[in-house]
Amino acid sequence: MKKLFALLLVALMLTAFLAGCAQQEGAKEGGENGEAVEEEPKSTYPDRNIIAVVGFSPGGPTDVIARGVLPIVQEIFGVGIGINNMAGAASAPAAEHVLAQKPDGYTIFFGSEIMSVWQVMGTTNLSPTKDFIPVKIVSEAIPVMAVPPDSPFNSVEELIAYAKEHPGELRISTAGPGTVPHVSGLLLQQYLGVEFTFVPYQGGKPAVIAVMSKEVDATIEMVQSMVAEHQGGQLKILSSFTNEPIPGLEEIPPVGKIYPELSPHVPYGPYFGVFVSKDCPAEVVEAWEAALDQAIEDQRWIDYTNQFYLVRVNYSGDAALDYLEKWTSKAAWLLYDFGAAENSPEEFGIKRPE
Amino acid sequence: MTLTLVLYTIVGAAIGLLMGSLPGITVTMTAVLVVSLTYGWPMAEALAFIVGAFCGGVTGGCISAIALNIPGTSAAVATAFDGFPLKERGEADNALSLGLASSFLGGLIGLAIMLVLGPVIGTFALRFGSHEYFLITLWGLTLVAVLSRGNIVKGLCSAFFGLFVGMIGMDPIMGMLRFTYGTGILKGGIDFVAAMIGLFGMKEVFKQLSKKSSFNISGTSYSIKGLLPKPHLLKRVWHTILWGGPLGTLIGLLPGTGGDVGCIVAYGVAKQVTKNPSRPFGEGAYEGVAAPEVANNAAIGGALTTMMTLGVPGDSVTAVILGSFYLHGLLPGPTFMLTEKHYFYLIAAIVLVGTIMAYIFGILGSNLILKAINLPKWFLVPFITTLCIVGSYAIKNNMYDVIIMIVFGIIGYLFEKGGFPVGPVVLAIILGPMIERNLRQALIASGGVVPFLTALVTKPISLILLILIILSFVLQSKVMRAAENKVKDAKAG
């Protein structure tokens, strides 16, 4: 019996050890590379490992992007950055967890556009600009509209023309209420005077399956989750929610070119970036900004984003606040005007977009 | 497949088996942990480790389901229904030997289907839409009748409670909050894994604390020999294995459903089609152990096929594996099968090695675990409590799930005291949200109640399912009567 107890203990310890080693190795690697750059800044932050909280499960778009940029930051900082996935409830518990920690910059939030709709959708009363400091928005994804391969629509013009004559008849699958695909569809409704029936699915992939299996007439999802199917002939991408063609996928016409009335409102896509609690010291924000500035110039990050057709952006400070406010007001009011949001944006001081 | 890769697979399978057999640690959690270890590794090594752990984890789930009545993973929920009664009859080694052998055969059947039909069958999964999922999941609910153990009214009460719990949180269609009573803790809904750990694991702890005797059955001895495959048992269940394997693979192929739904459906089907079970279901039928175990391992092959050919996760574990593909810069999907076909065969080879190793480790390792139930209570109770807390925390790294787990432990304890079975609660928490989501999606997609009903009979697969379901009800009543008559005859004779 003692033997067994010892065995179980050893097994548990081994698991803990393995998990621990992964972190330490990362930290060590970072240390070696970090020493070379360390000479200029004399700040003490960071002097121990940092936890980055991601509000989605491993392998989701936000997680994949966090794991693309944070390892590079880890090298620059010379301390380990552990990624903690706290999935569920539209990331709200993850954000609440970050805000509940000491605002010393050792627990940061890798956030995404879902933060912009928390208040109007009634998820949680937190604002990306008032409760957090957006350190830097590093990337955007591009939503596209797709139809099944044998769909009668071969272009977005045909689809919109049909929708104009048959309001509410075309069914569009989305990743869920209040998500970017849903808001993108609402943009079409608002500015092109059409009406769709939105069928919400449990995330982006199920929404794509729904169009491949012809359960719905069309879907709106991020380009990286459909590009393989598009090239394999399992669905047709009609248009991207941008003004310019996507580099590498020039054959997909941008919706802003086809409908000039939409061009002021696109590109419209989810954002991803690093957020810290609003009570964090300025020293922390500066350290992160500097490190991220360096990381997004790194060739590995450039290759990584190209592979997923992600747009690299760099908004920090006032530019980030301005960007987030515009984004939030656009999404919040569209959702509210079409009856999808629970709360009025006015309650939270979100101004209606001009 | 180099020797190093085989070694990685073996280590993965061993870790998976251990994690899977620990109550509270699910295969998905194991996969998350293993994937996070392998981010920096080359793709082939990482795959060997992850897929090996997948095979081991699913196999391991049956060990604690049979030994402790606590499913080690959600894919082993149904194994406990008949596995634990068998153990209580003193047939723990028979049950485990059968469970492990079924897992092994299931893994091989899933692999064979994956290799032969994989590239072709992938698109078949796309024919399953909301209508079909609605029917499958709704049909799963009929299992409440089996799990009620005689008292159907109490069983239905449990099931309704489970359905209610499944509605807590954000509704799947409009995103409105329901039954959260203004608290943050319920906003995310009740995670069924947390509820399952509470209802099976924590409940057992409370039960043990309230009574003097311990878990162990004294005088039962276990040996490795007892866990080796037993031809006379396998002979009894060979037909269950023959249809359970393909059924499990099919459910694994469907996007979003894996071993957990696979084992429930296989158990249900076993109950319906087995005319003369070795014992009534729920009281230690061999078929009731073989069916879920063969199906949950067969689902591995199906889920991996869907992941590689469609780029869509077949279940929650392959969703994690898909994430690691992305991180290594590979985009699985229709074109993946043309450009990176070697990965398909590599994964098939890993599944083969992983399944074999999981079986061998299962025989060697579960022997130790069976011995462990003979440990004194002062050790076992804190140990299981620790595992339950760690397991529920690890779901989302969130303290909320621990609180929910403990609350469900208390609920489970009270339910059992009142004679209400907890099986239907878990079943309803798993199936309820799926039924609701698919029904509402189907209603919106078909545009109203009448088109929805006509679609049920005009869509070919949905029609077949509907006929099967009605048939199962009709057959069931006859079989039941025949069985009853037989019991009466036996008693009279």
Side-chain angles (χ1 to χ4, degrees):
Chain A
M1 195 202 92
K2 264 192 188 153
K3 242 193 207 163
L4 185 81
F5 184 40
L7 256 176
L8 282 170
L9 268 181
V10 166
L12 270 177
M13 270 168 63
L14 265 178
T15 331
F17 219 71
L18 276 172
C21 283
Q23 291 271 329
Q24 269 169 14
E25 264 167 34
K28 240 185 271 156
E29 268 173 37
E32 281 155 18
N33 293 320
E35 270 154 35
V37 249
E38 222 187 66
E39 289 179 10
E40 321 97 41
K42 261 277 169 254
S43 147
T44 50
Y45 177 87
D47 56 5
R48 58 188 165 92
N49 289 352
I50 299 168
I51 291 174
V53 176
V54 172
F56 292 93
S57 44
T62 312
D63 181 72
V64 166
I65 293 166
R67 290 184 200 268
V69 70
L70 292 179
I72 305 172
V73 177
Q74 173 171 281
E75 284 175 16
I76 297 167
F77 272 157
V79 299
I81 300 180
I83 293 177
N84 187 356
N85 296 91
M86 292 176 76
S91 295
E96 281 158 13
H97 170 82
V98 172
L99 294 181
Q101 308 304 308
K102 211 168 136 203
D104 54 6
Y106 289 98
T107 312
I108 64 127
F109 188 58
F110 197 88
S112 65
E113 86 295 341
I114 197 85
M115 303 170 83
S116 284
V117 296
W118 277 337
Q119 289 179 319
V120 285
M121 294 304 284
T123 320
T124 183
N125 190 5
L126 290 177
S127 148
T129 49
K130 290 177 190 132
D131 297 285
F132 286 95
I133 301 171
V135 177
K136 195 177 287 291
I137 307 294
V138 295
S139 167
E140 272 177 1
I142 303 169
V144 292
M145 181 184 250
V147 292
D150 54 357
S151 162
F153 310 117
N154 288 308
S155 68
V156 70
E157 291 98 321
E158 288 173 31
L159 187 135
I160 295 291
Y162 183 88
K164 267 191 183 146
E165 279 168 33
H166 305 84
E169 199 179 290
L170 289 183
R171 296 153 304 174
I172 296 188
S173 63
T174 71
T179 56
V180 168
H182 186 195
V183 178
S184 309
L186 292 177
L187 268 177
L188 300 181
Q189 291 204 159
Q190 171 92 324
Y191 297 105
L192 301 181
V194 289
E195 199 188 322
F196 298 114
T197 299
F198 294 101
V199 190
Y201 286 80
Q202 197 88 330
K205 272 288 172 188
V208 175
I209 302 172
V211 78
M212 283 160 78
S213 66
K214 290 171 229 156
E215 189 161 294
V216 293
D217 302 298
T219 190
I220 300 173
E221 239 311 290
M222 299 316 123
V223 64
Q224 72 266 29
S225 25
M226 291 202 279
V227 80
E229 286 78 1
H230 173 68
Q231 285 161 352
Q234 293 205 316
L235 46 74
K236 284 188 287 194
I237 298 183
L238 295 185
S239 183
S240 64
F241 283 80
T242 52
N243 283 322
E244 298 301 326
I246 305 169
L249 295 169
E250 279 81 6
E251 74 274 17
I252 300 172
V255 77
K257 279 257 156 64
I258 303 169
Y259 297 102
E261 58 268 48
L262 272 177
S263 66
H265 309 287
V266 290
Y268 177 79
Y271 59 78
F272 305 93
V274 172
F275 293 77
V276 294
S277 158
K278 64 173 186 308
D279 301 320
C280 257
E283 175 207 19
V284 170
V285 180
E286 278 160 23
W288 266 97
E289 242 189 84
L292 281 167
D293 269 330
Q294 202 179 328
I296 56 176
E297 297 295 324
D298 196 289
Q299 193 57 39
R300 280 169 293 169
W301 170 243
I302 293 170
D303 294 340
Y304 196 78
T305 46
N306 283 344
Q307 174 195 327
F308 293 112
Y309 302 100
L310 294 166
V311 184
R312 286 179 300 279
V313 295
N314 181 0
Y315 301 118
S316 48
D318 287 339
L321 287 176
D322 188 50
Y323 171 86
L324 288 172
E325 260 157 31
K326 275 198 184 132
W327 209 102
T328 306
S329 90
K330 185 161 34 174
W333 280 100
L334 271 173
L335 286 166
Y336 183 67
D337 288 342
F338 284 102
E342 200 167 326
N343 305 318
S344 164
E346 246 158 26
E347 281 174 44
F348 309 101
I350 301 172
K351 279 187 228 102
R352 191 180 267 281
E354 299 93 43
Chain B
M1 195 82 183
T2 62
L3 201 66
T4 351
L5 286 185
V6 175
L7 208 70
Y8 275 110
T9 315
I10 293 175
V11 176
I15 291 181
L17 190 85
L18 177 73
M19 303 288 269
S21 68
L22 294 177
I25 315 277
T26 65
V27 186
T28 316
M29 275 178 232
T30 313
V32 170
L33 187 86
V34 167
V35 165
S36 64
L37 286 178
T38 56
Y39 277 131
W41 300 13
M43 190 63 201
E45 272 91 334
L47 265 180
F49 198 53
I50 300 165
V51 177
F54 189 12
C55 297
V58 176
T59 306
C62 74
I63 299 172
S64 51
I66 291 169
L68 298 168
N69 198 19
I70 307 171
T73 68
S74 50
V77 170
T79 315
F81 299 159
D82 274 289
F84 186 66
L86 265 173
K87 183 232 154 193
E88 287 198 311
R89 286 167 174 269
E91 289 193 51
D93 50 352
N94 275 350
L96 251 183
S97 145
L98 188 62
L100 290 172
S102 310
S103 293
F104 175 65
L105 293 172
L108 295 187
I109 293 173
L111 178 66
I113 296 178
M114 171 180 164
L115 274 178
V116 179
L117 298 172
V120 204
I121 209 170
T123 46
F124 175 72
L126 280 183
R127 292 175 188 267
F128 282 75
S130 304
H131 291 82
E132 289 79 11
Y133 280 111
F134 167 67
L135 288 173
I136 293 175
T137 47
L138 187 71
W139 187 55
L141 260 195
T142 59
L143 258 190
V144 169
V146 196
L147 302 183
S148 307
R149 317 234 154 147
N151 194 332
I152 187 80
V153 177
K154 284 189 170 174
L156 284 175
C157 290
S158 297
F160 277 119
F161 175 72
L163 287 177
F164 167 70
V165 169
M167 286 182 195
I168 294 174
M170 228 177 270
D171 99 88
I173 302 296
M174 306 299 296
M176 299 287 172
L177 294 173
R178 300 186 301 199
F179 306 116
T180 57
Y181 306 100
T183 61
I185 182 167
L186 293 173
K187 257 182 206 158
I190 305 277
D191 192 288
F192 82 82
V193 178
M196 183 194 83
I197 298 171
L199 286 171
F200 284 104
M202 208 57 200
K203 172 208 75 187
E204 208 58 40
V205 169
F206 290 133
K207 237 167 87 184
Q208 292 304 318
L209 288 177
S210 67
K211 66 180 185 199
K212 287 228 167 76
S213 69
S214 90
F215 283 98
N216 62 357
I217 300 177
S218 45
T220 324
S221 64
Y222 307 106
S223 62
I224 291 177
K225 216 177 136 211
L227 296 179
L228 292 175
K230 295 185 174 154
H232 67 281
L233 285 182
L234 288 175
K235 225 169 157 185
R236 297 195 70 140
V237 298
W238 67 270
H239 51 274
T240 311
I241 288 175
L242 274 190
W243 58 253
L247 180 71
T249 313
L250 174 69
I251 290 175
L253 272 173
L254 301 183
T257 51
D260 41 2
V261 176
C263 80
I264 290 173
V265 169
Y267 185 83
V269 174
K271 211 225 151 205
Q272 318 257 356
V273 303
T274 312
K275 288 219 176 74
N276 300 306
S278 41
R279 286 194 196 94
F281 276 88
E283 293 173 25
Y286 295 128
E287 291 84 352
V289 174
E293 278 309 308
V294 73
N296 64 19
N297 277 68
I300 296 177
L304 288 171
T305 307
T306 309
M307 184 195 84
M308 282 183 284
T309 56
L310 296 177
V312 163
D315 66 357
S316 54
V317 183
T318 41
V320 179
I321 299 177
L322 194 64
S324 90
F325 267 89
Y326 288 157
L327 287 166
H328 285 96
L330 295 167
L331 286 170
T335 46
F336 182 77
M337 284 303 286
L338 299 174
T339 54
E340 312 270 351
K341 201 153 190 168
H342 55 281
Y343 277 111
F344 182 79
Y345 293 107
L346 176 68
I347 287 184
I350 296 168
V351 171
L352 181 68
V353 178
T355 307
I356 296 171
M357 289 322 290
Y359 187 46
I360 295 172
F361 284 132
I363 291 178
L364 301 176
S366 49
N367 201 47
L368 290 175
I369 290 170
L370 277 180
K371 277 199 183 120
I373 13 171
N374 282 324
L375 287 174
K377 199 155 82 169
W378 61 260
F379 174 74
L380 215 49
V381 166
F383 184 63
I384 291 180
T385 312
T386 313
L387 284 177
C388 288
I389 292 172
V390 171
S392 51
Y393 181 76
I395 303 168
K396 299 190 208 103
N397 294 330
N398 195 330
M399 224 30 219
Y400 286 172
D401 288 317
V402 180
I403 300 169
I404 288 173
M405 185 275 294
I406 293 173
V407 169
F408 272 85
I410 298 170
I411 292 174
Y413 176 69
L414 295 176
F415 264 52
E416 288 229 323
K417 273 223 130 160
F420 293 91
V422 295
V425 183
V426 177
L427 192 76
I429 299 178
I430 296 177
L431 296 178
M434 292 175 113
I435 294 173
E436 183 193 350
R437 193 171 63 241
N438 287 304
L439 172 64
R440 291 177 66 181
Q441 267 162 12
L443 278 170
I444 301 175
S446 40
V449 179
V450 179
F452 165 70
L453 292 176
T454 42
L456 279 186
V457 286
T458 51
K459 293 180 93 176
I461 294 180
S462 138
L463 182 66
I464 294 169
L465 283 171
L466 202 64
I467 292 172
L468 281 177
I469 291 170
I470 295 171
L471 214 64
S472 78
F473 276 98
V474 177
L475 283 177
Q476 180 74 358
S477 57
K478 265 189 193 162
V479 170
M480 285 283 272
R481 247 175 274 148
E484 267 172 319
N485 288 341
K486 237 176 224 161
V487 172
K488 267 180 206 159
D489 288 349
K491 270 184 188 165

